[in-house]
């Protein structure tokens, strides 16, 4: 490729490729999140086991690094493109009517993206950082016994709060499973957090409304038969995925 | 018709410009937009219209006045070539406006189209893009094959012809929020590479034209679709997708 990032078109390919990958990521993420709606102890255990799987499985790890890279690259590339675009018109129009020729979201991808980025930082701090490094409660069985990361209930086991290990009779039975489910439930009892999540999902919806089909155009796919299908699929994606994300905190709050 | 015109006046490339108000009357709705400006200029010359700031007659580009040369270029009421669809400024008629209306008239605004005077911009950046690859190096030694004797698929002939209707006026650049020249460049790339004579140089052509486009300081395409809507010749966004595809292929197949 002539220049990793030099040419305007190459920047657009990267924008499209990372964007489409992040669309796939959203599908995976929302499927995982929907487990939060499974009621009772069963749902709680399933979600916490899922959280262990997501943080320990090597394949998931590779995918998560690709995701971090995609987000970072999408952001940096977006900033570079926006800066070049602003430079291309140093003096704007006194009177302009862009609403006559294009949709709002297509003209505001940068602003929407910034809102989403701020949300990602907030969201990572809220759950990801807390889960990995913060102090969050440990998962216990229905009878109150601790559970290891591998899902084993240790009857009469004790959790060492320093090492986060489940101890029984002075021996290590395994690392204690953290109760991310409880953490999520608590967070979504706070009205402003629920509001932040819902608003951010609206921003993602608008971003996807233009971004999904735009990515295909950027990599050179514009076809009489398939493009109308891609566009409709993009609109459906832009509504359904953020809606599924957004109803989870709302349902938890109302419960 | 009586109209209030707010026109961008600027004495030279380095001068500071401003919007100046003019009152015109006795405008027939059958006049073209340029004829209306002619009436204004006659008034400024004979003194019947107040020439605020002593700018003299309004300078503007025009040539054929029948919609095919691509010279006229006015940003009218917030849109390239005004509110009409599929027409250049010279083919825009005053019946599109209402008696007593205020009309804003500005030049194309883009770093790559510097203002020469008033509404006249220097669009030679388009010429330099064409010089970078927008041609076919035909050998005219006397053995040149008759173009009509070469079989061409009907679709290719149609697409090439549709792309070739681009008159290079620059409305796409003027309308694009990023001042991107992608619609123009892609139309030229398409028109040449879909036909057998241009096919042999297609890889080199797309790379060189995109390189020149970037060097001229045009912005990047964000697929808002504004260019396609405002284009007086209805050049399709499909051409941009085709160029993206051509460039991707060329990047992997040459050097």
């Amino acid at each position: 490729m002539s220049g990793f990032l030099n040419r305007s078109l190459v920047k657009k390919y990267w924008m499209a490729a990372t964007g489409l990958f992040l669309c796939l990521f959203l599908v995976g993420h929302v499927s995982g999140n929907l487990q939060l709606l499974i009621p009772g102890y069963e749902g709680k255990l399933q979600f916490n086991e899922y959280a262990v799987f997501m943080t320990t499985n090597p394949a998931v790890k590779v995918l998560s690094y690709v995701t971090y890279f995609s987000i970072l690259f999408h952001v940096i590339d977006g900033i570079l493109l926006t800066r070049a675009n602003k430079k291309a018109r140093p003096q704007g129009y006194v009177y302009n009517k862009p609403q006559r020729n294009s949709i709002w979201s297509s003209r505001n991808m940068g602003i929407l993206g910034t809102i989403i980025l701020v949300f990602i930082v907030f969201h990572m701090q809220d759950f990801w950082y807390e889960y990995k490094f913060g102090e969050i409660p440990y998962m216990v069985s229905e009878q109150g016994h601790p559970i290891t990361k591998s899902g084993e209930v240790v009857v009469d086991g004790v959790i060492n709060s320093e090492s986060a290990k489940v101890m029984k009779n002075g021996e290590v039975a395994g690392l204690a499973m953290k109760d991310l489910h409880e953490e999520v439930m608590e967070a979504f009892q706070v009205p402003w957090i629920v509001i932040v999540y819902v608003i951010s999902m609206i921003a993602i919806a608008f971003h996807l409304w233009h971004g999904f089909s735009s990515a295909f155009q950027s990599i050179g796919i514009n076809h009489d038969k398939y493009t109308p299908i891609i566009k409709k699929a993009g609109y459906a994606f832009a509504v359904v995925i953020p809606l599924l994300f957004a109803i989870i905190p709302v349902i938890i709050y109302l419960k | 018709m009586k109209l209030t015109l707010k026109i961008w006046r600027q004495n030279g490339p380095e001068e500071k410009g401003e919007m100046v108000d003019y009152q015109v009357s006795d405008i027939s709705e059958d006049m073209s937009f340029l004829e209306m400006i002619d009436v204004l200029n006659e008034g400024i010359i004979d003194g019947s219209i107040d020439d605020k700031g002593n700018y003299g007659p309004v300078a503007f580009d025009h040539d054929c006045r029948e919609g095919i040369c691509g010279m006229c270029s006015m940003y009218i009421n917030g849109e390239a070539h005004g509110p009409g669809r599929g027409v250049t400024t010279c083919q825009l008629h005053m019946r599109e406006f209402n008696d007593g209306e205020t009309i804003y008239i500005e030049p194309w605004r883009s770093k790559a189209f510097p203002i020469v005077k008033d509404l006249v911009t220097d669009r030679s950046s388009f010429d330099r893009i064409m010089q970078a690859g927008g041609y076919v190096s035909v050998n005219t030694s006397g053995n040149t094959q008759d173009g009509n004797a070469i079989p061409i698929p009907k679709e290719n002939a149609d697409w090439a012809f549709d792309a070739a209707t681009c008159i290079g006026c620059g409305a796409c650049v003027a309308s694009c929020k990023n001042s991107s020249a992608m619609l123009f460049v892609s139309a030229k790339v398409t028109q040449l590479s879909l036909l057998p004579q241009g096919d042999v140089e297609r890889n080199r052509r797309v790379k060189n034209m995109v390189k020149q486009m970037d060097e001229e300081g045009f912005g990047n395409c964000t697929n808002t679709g504004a260019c396609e809507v405002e284009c007086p010749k209805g050049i399709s966004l499909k051409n941009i997708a085709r160029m993206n595809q051509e460039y991707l292929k060329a990047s992997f197949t040459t050097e």
Side-chain angles (χ1 to χ4, degrees):
Chain A
M1 307 281 286
S2 55
F4 184 58
L5 262 180
N6 277 340
R7 292 279 158 266
S8 53
L9 264 60
V10 180
K11 288 200 195 98
K12 293 300 299 180
Y13 297 146
W14 280 108
M15 218 52 196
T18 50
L20 285 176
F21 176 78
L22 290 172
C23 284
L24 280 178
F25 158 75
L26 287 179
V27 175
H29 193 352
V30 81
S31 323
N33 286 12
L34 286 171
Q35 295 174 94
L36 283 164
L37 298 180
I38 303 170
Y41 175 76
E42 210 175 298
K44 191 181 176 78
L45 183 66
Q46 184 177 330
F47 185 77
N48 285 330
E49 280 177 338
Y50 168 73
V52 171
F53 170 77
M54 291 305 281
T55 44
T56 51
N57 185 288
V60 174
K61 241 183 195 151
V62 171
L63 274 180
S64 73
Y65 285 120
V66 178
T67 308
Y68 297 144
F69 168 82
S70 295
I71 293 172
L72 265 178
F73 209 89
H74 200 74
V75 169
I76 294 168
D77 204 18
I79 293 170
L80 290 175
L81 284 164
T82 308
R83 274 185 50 189
N85 294 344
K86 292 260 180 265
K87 258 200 245 162
R89 178 168 295 145
Q91 183 167 15
Y93 291 103
V94 175
Y95 186 82
N96 202 5
K97 263 194 201 159
Q99 66 277 13
R100 287 262 300 156
N101 55 39
S102 51
I103 58 168
W104 182 86
S105 65
S106 75
R107 301 190 304 270
N108 291 280
M109 292 299 275
I111 294 165
L112 291 165
T114 308
I115 296 171
I116 296 165
L117 179 66
V118 170
F119 165 73
I120 291 172
V121 172
F122 169 77
H123 174 59
M124 295 281 280
Q125 196 268 332
D126 215 17
F127 293 131
W128 178 85
Y129 180 84
E130 283 295 314
Y131 186 74
K132 289 227 151 172
F133 309 107
E135 281 192 13
I136 73 167
Y138 291 104
M139 179 68 187
V140 290
S141 71
E142 277 173 301
Q143 286 78 31
H145 303 299
I147 302 177
T148 65
K149 276 195 170 181
S150 49
E152 185 192 338
V153 180
V154 183
V155 181
D156 297 330
V158 185
I159 298 169
N160 182 324
S161 58
E162 291 248 318
S163 61
K165 282 170 181 157
V166 182
M167 310 292 285
K168 193 182 177 183
N169 306 330
E171 278 177 44
V172 179
L175 282 169
M177 184 189 280
K178 289 180 180 176
D179 194 355
L180 184 63
H181 187 273
E182 185 58 31
E183 186 80 2
V184 175
M185 295 297 150
E186 272 173 32
F188 291 152
Q189 293 311 312
V190 186
W192 71 265
I193 294 185
V194 176
I195 292 168
V196 164
Y197 273 74
V198 171
I199 290 175
S200 306
M201 290 312 113
I202 294 171
I204 290 189
F206 277 104
H207 199 75
L208 289 170
W209 189 267
H210 174 67
F212 189 94
S213 57
S214 175
F216 288 89
Q217 165 85 5
S218 288
I219 51 176
I221 299 171
N222 191 331
H223 190 276
D224 278 338
K225 194 163 140 199
Y226 302 119
T227 297
I229 300 172
I230 291 170
K231 281 215 163 141
K232 279 185 197 126
Y235 296 149
F237 191 89
V239 173
V240 172
I241 299 289
L243 189 68
L244 287 175
F245 270 116
I247 55 167
I248 295 167
V250 173
I251 288 175
I252 292 173
Y253 178 74
L254 294 176
K255 252 202 272 191
Chain B
M1 288 171 88
K2 271 188 165 184
L3 298 163
T4 302
L5 306 174
K6 288 177 181 288
I7 304 180
W8 183 260
R9 304 306 310 267
Q10 182 173 335
N11 273 331
E14 308 301 325
E15 308 283 323
K16 228 175 111 64
E18 58 168 344
M19 296 297 279
V20 178
D21 293 11
Y22 298 94
Q23 307 292 332
V24 286
S25 46
D26 296 329
I27 299 295
S28 152
E29 58 181 23
D30 296 326
M31 280 181 183
S32 78
F33 202 83
L34 295 187
E35 284 165 341
M36 185 274 292
I37 301 286
D38 290 337
V39 170
L40 166 74
N41 278 344
E42 276 167 17
I44 289 176
I45 290 165
D46 70 23
S48 61
I49 293 174
D50 184 11
D51 180 18
K52 297 165 193 160
N54 292 315
Y55 282 105
V58 178
F60 64 95
D61 268 326
H62 62 108
D63 191 5
C64 74
R65 297 208 179 197
E66 55 184 16
I68 55 162
C69 75
M71 272 313 279
C72 57
S73 50
M74 291 185 193
Y75 207 79
I76 303 159
N77 274 353
E79 285 182 273
H81 296 303
R85 290 288 174 257
V87 289
T88 52
T89 301
C90 63
Q91 292 294 301
L92 177 70
H93 288 85
M94 295 315 294
R95 64 183 82 98
E96 299 277 338
F97 300 90
N98 298 317
D99 190 24
E101 200 176 328
T102 301
I103 304 175
Y104 287 77
I105 309 167
E106 292 176 73
W108 287 173
R109 295 209 187 269
S110 164
K111 186 172 166 256
F113 290 165
I115 294 173
V116 178
K117 187 180 191 319
D118 298 337
L119 305 174
V120 178
T121 54
D122 176 2
R123 284 168 282 177
S124 56
S125 48
F126 270 12
D127 300 337
R128 289 188 292 274
I129 293 174
M130 291 306 279
Q131 284 156 13
Y135 51 81
V136 175
S137 315
V138 189
N139 183 348
T140 51
S141 59
N143 301 320
T144 317
Q145 202 178 345
D146 179 3
N148 289 326
I150 310 169
I152 301 166
K154 173 81 167 80
E155 300 82 48
N156 284 20
D158 288 349
W159 284 328
F161 187 84
D162 284 349
T165 56
C166 167
I167 52 177
C169 65
C172 44
V173 175
S175 309
C176 176
K177 80 177 193 51
N178 311 320
S179 282
S180 172
M182 293 273 281
L183 195 68
F184 166 77
V185 180
S186 68
K188 299 304 169 192
V189 163
T190 296
Q191 154 200 339
L192 294 166
S193 60
L194 283 184
L195 298 178
Q197 294 87 346
D199 178 58
V200 281
E201 293 169 299
R202 68 194 299 168
N203 286 340
R204 195 174 62 193
R205 176 181 307 115
V206 70
K207 287 178 84 172
N208 290 343
M209 288 180 81
V210 168
K211 183 166 176 265
Q212 190 63 36
M213 172 181 87
D214 287 354
E215 278 168 13
E216 295 293 345
F218 290 106
N220 305 283
C221 176
T222 44
N223 307 326
T224 67
C227 52
E228 181 187 50
V229 174
E230 300 292 354
C231 175
K233 296 295 157 185
I235 303 292
S236 163
L237 273 189
K238 222 179 246 176
N239 292 302
I240 297 183
R242 189 177 290 112
M243 177 167 80
N244 289 336
Q245 212 181 79
E246 289 250 332
Y247 190 85
L248 195 60
K249 273 189 223 153
S251 303
F252 283 117
T253 51
T254 53
E255 293 111 78

